[in-house]
Amino acid sequence: MSVAPFARRAFASQFWRGTRRGIPVIVASAPFGVLFGALAVQNGFTVGEAVMMSATVFAGASQMVGIELFGKAIPAWMIVLSVFAVNFRHVLYSASFGRRTGHWSAWQRALGFFFLADPQYAETERMAEAGETIGFAWYLGIGLPMYLVWVLDAWLGALFGRLIPDTHALGLDFLLPIYFVGLLMGFRKRPLWLPVVIASGAAAMVAHVYVGSPWHVSIGALAGVLLAAAMPVGEEARTAYAAEREGTGGRS
């Protein structure tokens, strides 16, 4: 008997498992994606250009920074540097993600890095901490629907953005930050979680006032990394954390 049908069913099962994990993110990020499309057109982009930017960049914060800077009398290197500042955290994400997916093929890893965003990173970390292997089908189930809907959101926003009421007044722009707070709280039992969060948050707020956006994102992340490096977790704390996770079945 051929193993191909079993392999296809296993792939589909893992894919849908990942998709179910990604549905809350898709719902939470939809207003953000539509808002980007609307703002892009308002800043002089065509509908095609707005959709193309979402399809090729696939990074909400960077896209927002880009449309604010494009068209202004700003050197290209400054735009690139600003986008790099927003996405500096992905350097750290990639280091961890690459370690988790070493068993993937080269093209799978390339695709995985393209789809790597904050929610995907958080979900892979949760799965790895639960002792599960990061499967390509599961990861694709999270990343691919999110990517396709993100591009669709940009298209809808570019076409119909002017019909959307003020998202700030409706509070729709708050959905994504709320989701990210939920992700952050999911790691609250990790050693040094609270000091790192406080250091990152405080540094980001100070940097936002005295340095400005988007540098506060990278400065906040860097502050958290430096604090974590300066306060290595002891073996006793690691053991206690591992024991607690085993006691809760891997749930934070």
Side-chain angles (χ1 to χ4, degrees):
M1 180 179 294
S2 172
V3 298
F6 294 101
R8 283 197 293 269
R9 280 199 292 272
F11 186 94
S13 174
Q14 286 299 308
F15 184 92
W16 288 118
R17 183 186 174 204
T19 299
R20 288 194 296 272
R21 295 290 301 181
I23 288 175
V25 186
I26 292 174
V27 173
S29 63
F32 199 53
V34 173
L35 182 63
F36 163 75
L39 292 177
V41 171
Q42 290 174 16
N43 280 273
F45 282 51
T46 66
V47 173
E49 289 170 343
V51 172
M52 182 62 71
M53 189 172 183
S54 276
T56 54
V57 178
F58 188 43
S62 296
Q63 291 176 221
M64 290 295 187
V65 170
I67 62 174
E68 286 185 6
L69 299 181
F70 288 146
K72 295 183 179 179
I74 297 176
W77 66 267
M78 180 63 77
I79 297 176
V80 172
L81 199 59
S82 298
V83 172
F84 176 79
V86 173
N87 276 338
F88 173 74
R89 67 192 186 284
H90 284 267
V91 175
L92 306 177
Y93 289 175
S94 298
S96 177
F97 182 78
R99 186 162 51 90
R100 309 286 191 199
T101 57
H103 56 290
W104 291 8
S105 65
W107 72 267
Q108 288 174 336
R109 298 187 78 191
L111 190 61
F113 280 119
F114 176 74
F115 284 144
L116 186 60
D118 301 280
Q120 287 90 318
Y121 170 73
E123 294 296 341
T124 54
E125 284 295 303
R126 282 183 181 177
M127 178 168 273
E129 284 197 347
E132 296 189 53
T133 301
I134 308 302
F136 177 70
W138 172 83
Y139 181 82
L140 194 64
I142 294 181
L144 182 59
M146 195 179 303
Y147 170 76
L148 295 176
V149 175
W150 177 256
V151 176
L152 176 64
D153 290 338
W155 178 69
L156 292 174
L159 283 179
F160 307 111
R162 293 180 181 177
L163 302 178
I164 300 174
D166 185 358
T167 56
H168 296 285
L170 294 175
L172 295 178
D173 56 323
F174 234 66
L175 288 176
L176 199 59
I178 290 173
Y179 174 78
F180 282 129
V181 170
L183 287 179
L184 182 65
M185 293 302 294
F187 296 104
R188 65 190 180 281
K189 293 184 179 178
R190 279 187 172 186
L192 293 181
W193 177 84
L194 186 58
V196 169
V197 168
I198 292 175
S200 298
M205 287 188 286
V206 172
H208 189 270
V209 173
Y210 293 103
V211 182
S213 177
W215 299 100
H216 65 294
V217 178
S218 297
I219 292 174
L222 187 60
V225 170
L226 291 176
L227 180 68
M231 300 174 63
V233 178
E235 189 61 33
E236 184 177 347
R238 290 179 183 276
T239 303
Y241 177 61
E244 185 175 5
R245 290 198 59 80
E246 289 179 2
T248 59
R251 298 184 299 275
S252 294

